[in-house]
Amino acid sequence: MRTPSDAAIDSYYRAAALGLRLLEAREARGRRFGEAAAATWRALGGELEDRDRLDLLLRDAAVSNPLAFSARGVFDLAWLTDDEPFGPSFPQASAGLAAALLREAASSLAATDAPAILDAAAAAWKLAPLAPEPPLADRLQRVGPATRVVASGPRAIAMLAAHANARGDLDLGEQVLLVTDAPAERQMFGFALLLTGSRGRPRVISAAQASAARSRALGFMRCDVSLLSQDAAAPAREAAAALAKELAS
């Protein structure tokens, strides 16, 4: 069992709160934030704190979007069961951070467009800006509804999300296998699925596990296009390139 660093936990909660604000803006029901939601929370009384409230909101969101909101999915905590987003030993957000995130969410809703959300999530993880990489543009244009893609890197994720939104007929969960060891990329891929309306179960594999046998066990049988951005970590990028070659149809 490995525990994420304090900085990674902080980034996870900051990015996840952006996702909660996105859901709130989409639904426009005031279910999570605002005075009515705060009053309901206060009525519960007891010993619960703001960080408990934040975790409960994330647990609820993780039911339908685990890779965006579940600490298990983001940090690949395989020792937890599939339906347990946190586990008793996972560190909560600090009291000050939880209060700040809830206060910010109540005061303004997040943008709902994919570039803004993914840019904000990247900033929460202290990543470089998600500028498109022109060398990948031609490869991206080959991605249609039947295409299977091996991807790695935050910019590749952002470019796939933009392409899927522009077309409207892609399912990134069904069509993409992400190779990464980075929690930031896992969470950003979860946001990409949420933003593009994917119905497929996300397929994510670590660099060490990136083999044709493992990929096929996940239901990913071939690779038609590889999309590997320069901001991918070298081990993941190299593993993704080798896997794409191995799965080439």
Side-chain angles (χ1 to χ4, degrees):
M1 183 179 72
R2 64 188 187 280
T3 301
S5 68
D6 291 345
I9 291 168
D10 182 282
S11 293
Y12 156 71
Y13 275 108
R14 290 181 184 278
L18 289 168
L20 290 176
R21 293 167 64 192
L22 168 65
L23 294 178
E24 189 80 340
R26 281 184 169 182
E27 295 172 7
R29 291 189 293 159
R31 184 167 69 89
R32 298 172 184 84
F33 308 116
E35 186 51 41
T40 300
W41 176 254
R42 289 193 297 269
L44 293 176
E47 300 298 321
L48 296 179
E49 304 176 17
D50 284 333
R51 52 188 177 178
D52 299 311
R53 179 184 174 189
L54 182 58
D55 280 357
L56 287 172
L57 291 171
L58 293 177
R59 283 180 178 277
D60 177 67
V63 172
S64 55
N65 300 285
L67 197 56
F69 297 105
S70 165
R72 182 196 188 282
V74 171
F75 293 105
D76 192 23
L77 303 177
W79 49 274
L80 293 175
T81 60
D82 286 346
D83 60 352
E84 175 48 70
F86 296 100
S89 61
F90 186 79
Q92 291 182 295
S94 68
L97 176 61
L101 293 176
L102 292 172
R103 186 167 56 250
E104 184 178 2
S107 64
S108 63
L109 296 179
T112 57
D113 61 294
I117 290 293
L118 291 175
D119 281 344
W125 281 99
K126 298 180 174 58
L127 301 181
L130 300 177
E133 295 187 9
L136 299 183
D138 288 343
R139 288 177 175 269
L140 194 63
Q141 293 310 310
R142 293 163 48 197
V143 177
T147 312
R148 296 296 181 265
V149 182
V150 170
S152 191
R155 289 177 180 169
I157 294 168
M159 291 178 72
L160 279 166
H163 183 64
N165 273 332
R167 287 188 58 109
D169 60 352
L170 306 183
D171 189 317
L172 299 184
E174 180 66 26
Q175 295 180 239
V176 177
L177 174 64
L178 180 69
V179 180
T180 185
D181 296 314
E185 290 179 38
R186 295 173 69 92
Q187 190 171 34
M188 288 177 64
F189 189 45
F191 284 158
L193 302 188
L194 173 61
L195 288 159
T196 59
S198 172
R199 298 176 182 272
R201 182 179 179 87
R203 293 184 175 97
V204 184
I205 196 168
S206 69
Q209 293 178 324
S211 68
R214 177 62 176 161
S215 300
R216 290 171 178 141
L218 294 175
F220 194 88
M221 312 306 291
R222 70 178 199 275
C223 173
D224 305 306
V225 174
S226 62
L227 205 71
L228 316 176
S229 53
Q230 292 297 320
D231 57 353
R237 182 181 170 83
E238 292 166 5
L243 177 61
K245 184 177 181 179
E246 193 175 3
L247 291 174
S249 54

